[in-house]
Amino acid sequence: MKLIFSEYSIILIFIGLSFLLSSAIFVLSYIITPKKADQEKVSAYECGFNPFEDARTTFDIRFYLVAILFLIFDLEISFLFPWSLSLGDLSSFGFWSMVIFLIILTVGFVYEWYKGALEWE
């Protein structure tokens, strides 16, 4: 039992410290911040639109494009992190397959940039 506790005691200490730190930050932010509410602060923020209009109104396609670009590059990071951790154990095939993946993503990003999907007017 002592062996198990010695292995997991670091994790328990980390969880306890993170709970204490997050509680302290929450309490301090509640105490320090000003409590003056105005119309802008209490209104809901819905992608730049008035939230009290009809829910079926159409909006610009660029919101979707930005969301898709975010998902693409978020997935890229989720593939890059484990690849970078196991880079020393991979063969040249694993390295070059990820390089090709990054080139394809870069070409897609340049295409989106060239088409003006990132320009907001």
Side-chain angles (χ1 to χ4, degrees):
M1 185 69 177
K2 185 174 179 166
L3 178 64
I4 293 173
F5 182 72
S6 67
E7 290 179 1
Y8 289 108
S9 62
I10 301 295
I11 296 172
L12 291 175
I13 291 170
F14 179 74
I15 290 173
L17 286 176
S18 63
F19 179 76
L20 287 174
L21 182 63
S22 61
S23 299
I25 290 172
F26 178 75
V27 169
L28 282 175
S29 69
Y30 185 76
I31 292 170
I32 293 174
T33 57
K35 307 287 188 289
K36 256 191 328 190
D38 59 358
Q39 186 62 27
E40 288 293 322
K41 285 185 181 179
V42 296
S43 68
Y45 180 71
E46 299 284 336
C47 296
F49 296 108
N50 190 359
F52 302 109
E53 293 179 3
D54 187 18
R56 292 176 207 71
T57 57
T58 60
F59 57 93
D60 200 354
I61 192 71
R62 286 178 284 192
F63 286 113
Y64 292 118
L65 291 175
V66 169
I68 289 171
L69 285 174
F70 174 76
L71 286 175
I72 288 171
F73 290 107
D74 191 40
L75 287 174
E76 175 189 358
I77 295 300
S78 67
F79 286 136
L80 277 176
F81 185 70
W83 174 74
S84 65
L85 290 178
S86 63
L87 189 59
D89 300 331
L90 289 177
S91 63
S92 64
F93 176 75
F95 174 77
W96 288 109
S97 63
M98 185 55 82
V99 168
I100 291 171
F101 173 71
L102 290 174
I103 289 171
I104 291 171
L105 281 176
T106 305
V107 167
F109 178 68
V110 169
Y111 175 76
E112 289 286 330
W113 195 347
Y114 177 73
K115 284 294 193 178
L118 302 175
E119 296 294 325
W120 204 268
E121 297 173 2

